[in-house]
Amino acid sequence: MTTDNTPGYEQARDELVSVVAKLEAGGLSLEDSLTLWERGEALARVCDEHLAGARERVETALAAAESEDR
């Protein structure tokens, strides 16, 4: 977990998998389903943010390596 209480990628992904499994299993009240759905959406955004950051780091590293090769 990061210092601002945002879960790391793996933690968010694992919790998202759990949320999806609970939603797919059914048997929840509408309110519980909506609460889980909202949590799942938040976790998906966290995962997207982590992946975007990783993508940026890779692109930066590739650009730096390319400029060193010139």
Side-chain angles (χ1 to χ4, degrees), residues 33-52:
S33 294
L34 287 172
T35 299
L36 275 175
W37 177 268
E38 291 167 345
R39 180 63 182 156
E41 288 291 325
L43 291 165
R45 278 191 301 278
V46 168
C47 288
D48 284 343
E49 290 167 6
H50 283 293
L51 291 173

Side-chain angles (χ1 to χ4, degrees), residues 14-26:
D14 291 348
E15 187 179 346
L16 180 56
V17 168
S18 175
V19 165
V20 169
K22 288 175 187 173
L23 287 169
E24 287 178 341

